[in-house]
Amino acid sequence: MNRYGWLGIVFGIWLIIAPFVLGYSNVVNAMWNDIILGILVAVSSYLTNAELRGARVGGGGENK
């Protein structure tokens, strides 16, 4: 991961747990919006970071 690549994952996890921590889990639309968006943010951040890490580690092609 790059220097700040983990922030997207942390923000995604925060979105997932925020309705329960902040006490608005009884507002169903807001709760599900945060949970779904949190999952999307965390997964996309993880996949982006894994892709960037793979490009750096693997070298990215043959030299001919």
Side-chain angles (χ1 to χ4, degrees):
M1 285 188 206
N2 61 6
R3 188 171 183 179
Y4 299 107
W6 53 272
L7 281 176
I9 298 169
V10 171
F11 288 145
I13 293 170
W14 168 249
L15 279 172
I16 294 169
I17 64 171
F20 308 103
V21 172
L22 298 177
Y24 64 92
S25 60
N26 58 344
V27 183
V28 177
N29 289 337
M31 179 189 71
W32 281 110
N33 181 62
D34 279 359
I35 290 172
I36 292 170
L37 234 107
I39 292 169
L40 290 174
V41 168
V43 169
S44 64
S45 294
Y46 174 77
L47 291 176
T48 301
N49 289 325
E51 181 179 300
L52 290 174
R53 183 178 29 199
R56 275 186 279 160
V57 172
E62 299 177 5
N63 294 330
K64 291 186 178 184

